[in-house]
Amino acid sequence: MQATERSRARRSTSVVIRAIIPVILALVTAAFILLALGKDPLAFYGDVVQNGVLDGNWQHSLVMMTPLLIIAVALIVVFRGQLWNLGYDGQYLLAAVFVAGLGPTMMKQIGPGLTYLALTLLAMAIGAVWTLLPAWLKAQFGTNEIITTLVMSSIGVGLTGLLIEYVFQDPNQRTPQTRTLDTGDMLPFIPGTRIHIGFIVALVVAVVFQFILNRTSFGLRLDIFGTSPKAARHVGINSKWMTIVLFLISGALIGLAASMDILGQWGYVRNNWNPGYGATIMPFVFLARLSPVGSIPFIAFYSIFATGGTVASIDAGLSTDFLMVIVALILVFMTITEYVGTKLDLGQSYLPDELKEAFRRPALVLTRRKVHA
């Protein structure tokens, strides 16, 4: 029993270390890049903390965390089934434009409560429907879902622009954008804060899906399906339906994220606007080992870094794209750490054979010299 507990403790420690090391290495590497650019890394990171956490700025970070966490769960669902839903931009923007475009009129006609519910359900339905074609093609013909979801995303982004200009355009604005929700019609705040209740929805979604994926028969079937679709068929799991269901759930959650984001933070959608949430959080989803609850601290870290880092980049005279450099570095170091960790777990050296041989030769020469001496 003690051996089992020690083994679990070692595995848990290994998971934590392998999750944290890429972030630390990325931050250290980014510090050297800042030095090379003539910037002060300590001042930069200090500004990140100041503008992302201190003086009440943590509330802005948690507001930003809301759609990111929901989208993280949406990606985890399909990734657990070894499927790829990379159409998050199109699904998000299409859901968002309908929420923003219909919101002002519905608020006046049926009031905030029913409008929140109706728009959220509509957004979830739009996000889900936009995954249906890639899901069906994957289930029926085995078509590569990476390509089909990216194509559908491009179509969705373009269609969003057309809807803004020709259907939901605010007649009082020259810039193509939807009408803006009144401040009083936005999602209510958590008492005593400036954080809207969408943040609570995001936490509930993470906890609920943590339970579903790890404690229910559906989660077990999903893991079997993700491990081997052939094995899933042998135990009576319908792989085609599982593929479609996973995509629908993922798309619906992305639609939910769009609804919470528009109703709680933005209030409108402007043409050519795309927050690109999915691509930015993908490394953190894998660092969390595809765990909805496990992703919470990583998404919180990124939210703080993005909120404070935007201001810090401007203050340092850098492009805000520097944040994407750090995200890319995390992805690179995550790949390296996983490679090294997997080799060590299998009892293998992480050094390539050629490099091991290069190290071995001087050692052999030294040994021979000692023998002759």
Side-chain angles (χ1 to χ4, degrees):
M1 191 69 177
Q2 291 180 349
T4 303
E5 292 177 356
R6 284 196 298 269
S7 177
R8 289 177 180 175
R10 283 197 298 270
R11 284 198 300 268
S12 299
T13 303
S14 174
V15 168
V16 172
I17 291 174
R18 286 160 67 170
I20 294 176
I21 283 179
V23 177
I24 295 175
L25 292 177
L27 293 177
V28 171
T29 305
F32 282 110
I33 294 175
L34 288 169
L35 284 173
L37 295 173
K39 310 299 180 182
D40 184 354
L42 294 180
F44 179 83
Y45 290 140
D47 282 347
V48 171
V49 175
Q50 178 67 41
N51 295 290
V53 180
L54 303 179
D55 299 329
N57 291 320
W58 59 272
Q59 298 188 63
H60 300 298
S61 298
L62 293 186
V63 169
M64 182 177 185
M65 182 179 169
T66 298
L68 295 176
L69 181 56
I70 299 175
I71 292 175
V73 177
L75 296 180
I76 286 170
V77 170
V78 287
F79 290 167
R80 288 275 285 258
Q82 297 296 313
L83 298 169
W84 291 83
N85 177 14
L86 301 185
Y88 30 70
D89 288 344
Q91 295 155 27
Y92 172 92
L93 288 173
L94 275 178
V97 76
F98 275 95
V99 171
L102 298 175
T105 301
M106 293 179 66
M107 288 290 179
K108 294 178 181 179
Q109 294 179 348
I110 63 176
L114 289 176
T115 298
Y116 296 151
L117 178 61
L119 289 179
T120 297
L121 293 176
L122 175 63
M124 294 177 69
I126 291 171
V129 167
W130 211 246
T131 68
L132 194 54
L133 181 59
W136 179 75
L137 290 173
K138 176 67 176 180
Q140 192 68 26
F141 305 106
T143 307
N144 190 319
E145 73 276 15
I146 295 176
I147 297 174
T148 55
T149 54
L150 285 173
V151 169
M152 290 298 291
S153 181
S154 298
I155 296 173
V157 171
L159 183 56
T160 297
L162 294 175
L163 288 170
I164 292 174
E165 292 190 39
Y166 297 105
V167 180
F168 299 125
Q169 169 67 39
D170 185 348
N172 298 319
Q173 296 289 336
R174 292 184 179 180
T175 303
Q177 70 171 61
T178 65
R179 286 180 295 165
T180 305
L181 282 169
D182 293 335
T183 304
D185 291 333
M186 305 285 281
L187 290 175
F189 294 128
I190 299 171
T193 72
R194 300 294 294 175
I195 306 167
H196 62 78
I197 60 173
F199 177 68
I200 296 177
V201 173
L203 292 179
V204 170
V205 167
V207 172
V208 168
F209 273 88
Q210 181 75 18
F211 177 81
I212 291 174
L213 296 180
N214 294 322
R215 300 292 182 181
T216 66
S217 59
F218 175 80
L220 178 60
R221 292 196 300 271
L222 171 56
D223 287 338
I224 295 172
F225 171 77
T227 302
S228 172
K230 291 183 179 179
R233 286 194 292 271
H234 282 300
V235 297
I237 297 173
N238 189 320
S239 297
K240 293 182 179 180
W241 276 110
M242 180 63 78
T243 298
I244 293 173
V245 167
L246 293 180
F247 270 105
L248 290 177
I249 293 174
S250 180
L253 288 174
I254 292 173
L256 173 63
S259 175
M260 294 297 101
D261 205 23
I262 299 302
L263 294 174
Q265 181 175 196
W266 299 107
Y268 72 99
V269 175
R270 180 174 293 177
N271 199 9
N272 296 323
W273 172 76
N274 183 0
Y277 292 142
T280 57
I281 64 168
M282 193 173 295
F284 303 101
V285 167
F286 290 109
L287 284 174
R289 295 297 187 276
L290 302 183
S291 167
V293 170
S295 69
I296 293 176
F298 291 103
I299 301 301
F301 165 80
Y302 175 76
S303 300
I304 292 170
F305 209 91
T307 302
T310 301
V311 179
S313 297
I314 295 172
D315 290 345
L318 297 170
S319 169
T320 54
D321 291 336
F322 183 71
L323 299 178
M324 291 305 299
V325 173
I326 297 176
V327 171
L329 286 171
I330 292 174
L331 186 58
V332 169
F333 285 116
M334 179 187 71
T335 304
I336 296 172
T337 304
E338 283 300 305
Y339 174 76
V340 173
T342 301
K343 286 287 188 179
L344 292 177
D345 287 344
L346 295 175
Q348 303 173 9
S349 171
Y350 59 86
L351 297 177
D353 293 337
E354 295 80 3
L355 192 56
K356 286 191 293 184
E357 184 65 24
F359 282 123
R360 187 181 295 116
R361 286 173 183 171
L364 289 173
V365 172
L366 183 60
T367 302
R368 288 169 183 171
R369 286 178 179 175
K370 288 182 179 180
V371 170
H372 289 302

